[in-house]
Amino acid sequence: MPLYEYQCDHCRETKEILVRNPDELVSCPDCGNDQIERQMSVPSAPAMANSLPVSGGRAAEACDQPRCCGGGCQF
């Protein structure tokens, strides 16, 4: 089941709520109000154990390592 963020119009609390269907009507778990609005949220990406760090926008440095997609040094 997906996890969605909702904000209550009455108590202004933001809660994460598991729903079976995104069109399902849900109510605020704190005050019971049924006028809550689903918020836009950023999905998280799983980290890979063997991934290399990203340069963070630094200028490319002279090294023997391959370049990342942004053109900067990976280290």
Side-chain angles (χ1 to χ4, degrees):
M1 287 186 286
L3 182 65
Y4 293 102
E5 290 182 350
Y6 287 89
Q7 183 174 26
C8 178
D9 291 341
H10 178 70
C11 67
R12 308 303 294 169
E13 291 290 325
T14 301
K15 298 290 182 182
E16 293 179 338
I17 302 173
L18 288 171
V19 293
R20 290 184 176 89
N21 178 354
D23 298 325
E24 178 182 344
L25 295 177
V26 295
S27 59
C28 177
D30 290 337
C31 70
N33 184 23
D34 61 352
Q35 295 181 357
I36 61 176
E37 184 176 337
R38 190 167 79 190
Q39 303 295 301
M40 295 291 286
S41 58
V42 179
S44 64
M48 296 174 62
N50 60 354
S51 64
L52 295 173
V54 177
S55 70
R58 293 185 316 190
E61 299 171 5
C63 69
D64 294 333
Q65 301 299 318
R67 304 289 179 204
C68 72
C69 62
C73 182
Q74 295 178 349
F75 300 104

